[in-house]
Amino acid sequence: EETEILYENIFKLRAQQLKGNDILSKNNFMQVVEKLVEFYRKNEKSEPVEHLYEQALKICYEKLGADDHLTIACFDNLMKIYEEHGKTKQMKQLYEQEVEMRTRFLQKDDASTLSRILQIQQSLADLYTDEGEVEQAEKMYEQGLRTAYQKLGLDHPHTIQSRYELARLYESHRKLGEVERIYGEALEISKERLQSGDPHIIDRYNDLIKFYL
């Protein structure tokens, strides 16, 4: 249809104009994406919607970077489309790609990026769990915990959150030895790195006590 061709041409034009420091160009780009999605849905065309968000995400990665709010919006919208269509394989691939890319460029004390990584890893771990891939889910959380230890330190809130998430996952699968290992490991690292009597050491002891109770 002519309307579809016109919208797609406008999409290409807005993509060319897109710039990270130009709010108007970003708004224009998102508006034409939304208009196209509305048109496709009205005409019951599901595949073009998926392809459009794949294109939009690729363009945002290239022109805006992974942390721009528009890139994140396109990522989340594409994930919703994959979920609607039951495309778990594509969801896993996109999650894994995002984690790998963000981890590669993660700087020490970059809490915002790590928070996004942990969020994505949790979503991926949940997806693996739903698919019955328990070992892959555990691997995701283990990877997130190691990254948090290295980049943020033992007692950063994001590290603590990651540690508790992994412990809960192991506990839900009755792997109590692994839960004990995680808390015991955290205690030993605290004792090695901190002064005797540091409140964080007490916190790690309390984690173990709660587990044993």
Side-chain angles (χ1 to χ4, degrees):
E1 293 184 12
E2 285 189 19
T3 303
E4 183 176 356
I5 294 172
L6 285 172
Y7 273 136
E8 289 174 348
N9 286 337
I10 295 173
F11 171 78
K12 293 175 184 177
L13 179 63
R14 295 306 189 197
Q16 291 173 358
Q17 296 171 338
L18 187 62
K19 295 179 182 178
N21 58 355
D22 186 346
I23 295 175
L24 180 60
S25 74
K26 291 160 77 170
N27 288 339
N28 288 338
F29 180 77
M30 202 59 191
Q31 282 174 6
V32 72
V33 169
E34 291 170 352
K35 287 288 186 181
L36 260 172
V37 169
E38 183 181 350
F39 173 82
Y40 288 142
R41 289 191 185 281
K42 185 177 179 181
N43 290 275
E44 299 182 348
K45 296 182 176 183
S46 59
E47 286 189 15
V49 174
E50 182 179 314
H51 181 61
L52 174 65
Y53 275 127
E54 287 173 341
Q55 281 186 297
L57 180 60
K58 182 180 179 181
I59 291 166
C60 286
Y61 273 142
E62 292 174 352
K63 295 207 165 191
L64 306 178
D67 290 316
D68 191 274
H69 75 279
L70 194 58
T71 307
I72 294 173
C74 286
F75 179 94
D76 292 340
N77 285 331
L78 180 55
M79 275 299 177
K80 290 176 185 176
I81 296 298
Y82 283 154
E83 187 172 9
E84 286 176 12
H85 298 165
K87 295 191 172 183
T88 55
K89 180 180 178 181
Q90 286 85 344
M91 291 176 71
K92 291 174 188 174
Q93 289 175 341
L94 192 54
Y95 276 138
E96 289 167 353
Q97 171 188 310
E98 182 82 351
V99 169
E100 191 277 331
M101 177 182 63
R102 287 179 175 276
T103 302
R104 186 165 11 111
F105 295 107
L106 182 64
Q107 302 294 317
K108 186 175 178 61
D109 298 325
D110 186 353
S112 175
T113 299
L114 184 57
S115 177
R116 178 70 176 166
I117 290 173
L118 295 177
Q119 176 189 348
I120 294 169
Q121 285 179 321
Q122 182 171 349
S123 298
L124 182 53
D126 290 342
L127 186 59
Y128 280 134
T129 301
D130 292 341
E131 294 287 301
E133 299 179 57
V134 176
E135 289 185 3
Q136 284 296 106
E138 293 169 354
K139 180 181 176 181
M140 271 293 103
Y141 277 121
E142 287 277 8
Q143 182 181 328
L145 182 58
R146 297 300 160 211
T147 302
Y149 278 152
Q150 293 169 8
K151 302 292 185 178
L152 296 179
L154 183 70
D155 291 295
H156 189 282
H158 288 305
T159 307
I160 294 171
Q161 174 193 347
S162 185
R163 185 162 57 240
Y164 287 155
E165 291 289 351
L166 179 57
R168 277 197 288 267
L169 181 65
Y170 279 134
E171 193 166 5
S172 70
H173 296 131
R174 307 305 299 167
K175 295 186 176 182
L176 301 185
E178 292 298 323
V179 179
E180 183 178 14
R181 175 184 64 79
I182 291 167
Y183 288 141
E185 182 181 84
L187 173 60
E188 291 305 313
I189 294 173
S190 292
K191 288 163 68 175
E192 288 175 7
R193 298 181 181 177
L194 302 175
Q195 295 290 327
S196 178
D198 188 291
H200 291 306
I201 296 179
I202 306 301
D203 290 340
R204 301 293 77 78
Y205 271 117
N206 285 332
D207 287 337
L208 267 174
I209 290 171
K210 288 176 185 177
F211 167 71
Y212 289 135
L213 291 176

